[in-house]
Amino acid sequence: MPKFNSNTSGDEKLASPIYKNLANQYDLIIGYTRESYWWSDKEIYSLLAFKNGICLKGSFYSKRRKNDSWSKPRIKFVEINRDSASFILNYLRDAGFFALNRDTLNINHRSINDKQDEVFSVDDGVNYKFEILTRNSFTIIESYQPDYFLEKLPEYKSRGIFIKCRNWFVAKLNSL
């Protein structure tokens, strides 16, 4: 199992449905979600979990009610091949995914000169988020509209790593 350093605040733990519902139940959980204004009434995660040598693929779903409370989440897991799950972890580790920095992944400007920056922005975009939970840490690796910002700011290579790993993770997890 890779080692993770927490990069989250207490407020982020309270806001995370993965943390609130699954903390201390697994050795490692990687939860992937997409956040947007358009989907703000749903919490949908794809999950990869490890517990006592068993590997699981799962899903998490909750919907906001009219009174702004959330429905009880539907969490489902199925056991998957350990080698396939380890392959996913090893790929992400070898690609440098776990070392990505949230701040660097979300830079939206570049310096033109000492007094001016060129700033790029997107309204109503999508934030792609991985929540990684171990028994001792809670880490978030996320990037807002990474494809757009990589095109505008190609000098920030970490976005390319994030996009490559995001696409690969989703495809591999869906194929299990």
Side-chain angles (χ1 to χ4, degrees):
M1 291 289 162
K3 300 284 186 209
F4 299 96
N5 294 321
S6 292
N7 70 350
T8 55
S9 67
D11 288 342
E12 287 174 311
K13 288 177 181 177
L14 292 174
S16 166
I18 298 302
Y19 189 88
K20 286 189 292 191
N21 290 281
L22 301 173
N24 298 315
Q25 294 182 38
Y26 297 88
D27 300 323
L28 171 68
I29 295 178
I30 300 174
Y32 167 75
T33 190
R34 300 174 306 157
E35 299 172 325
S36 169
Y37 167 79
W38 306 106
W39 309 312
S40 62
D41 65 334
K42 296 176 181 76
E43 295 174 326
I44 303 170
Y45 286 81
S46 298
L47 305 169
L48 179 64
F50 298 82
K51 183 175 184 175
N52 300 327
I54 297 171
C55 304
L56 305 160
K57 171 186 170 179
S59 62
F60 178 105
Y61 177 83
S62 184
K63 185 165 177 54
R64 187 187 320 263
R65 297 182 183 125
K66 290 181 181 177
N67 67 1
D68 271 349
S69 68
W70 289 94
S71 67
K72 181 179 179 189
R74 287 185 292 185
I75 304 169
K76 296 180 184 177
F77 282 105
V78 295
E79 189 171 341
I80 59 173
N81 178 289
R82 184 177 180 168
D83 291 337
S84 297
S86 294
F87 181 67
I88 292 173
L89 268 188
N90 291 336
Y91 177 89
L92 293 174
R93 183 198 64 226
D94 294 346
F97 178 77
F98 297 123
L100 292 174
N101 179 290
R102 285 166 70 179
D103 294 333
T104 305
L105 287 171
N106 291 292
I107 293 172
N108 67 348
H109 63 280
R110 72 163 66 98
S111 180
I112 296 173
N113 57 43
D114 290 343
K115 296 182 181 182
Q116 284 186 307
D117 281 350
E118 180 178 25
V119 179
F120 299 93
S121 68
V122 175
D123 293 331
D124 293 335
V126 178
N127 187 54
Y128 298 91
K129 180 191 257 185
F130 288 85
E131 296 184 18
I132 304 164
L133 184 61
T134 68
R135 295 200 185 274
N136 301 317
S137 66
F138 180 49
T139 303
I140 294 176
I141 301 173
E142 65 185 330
S143 188
Y144 180 74
Q145 285 298 124
D147 303 88
Y148 168 81
F149 285 108
L150 180 62
E151 179 185 318
K152 299 296 183 187
L153 300 161
E155 60 269 29
Y156 297 106
K157 305 287 185 208
S158 61
R159 266 198 195 95
I161 294 169
F162 180 89
I163 292 166
K164 177 181 165 186
C165 290
R166 174 201 65 194
N167 294 347
W168 192 88
F169 178 86
V170 170
K172 287 297 177 195
L173 196 61
N174 286 340
S175 72
L176 296 177

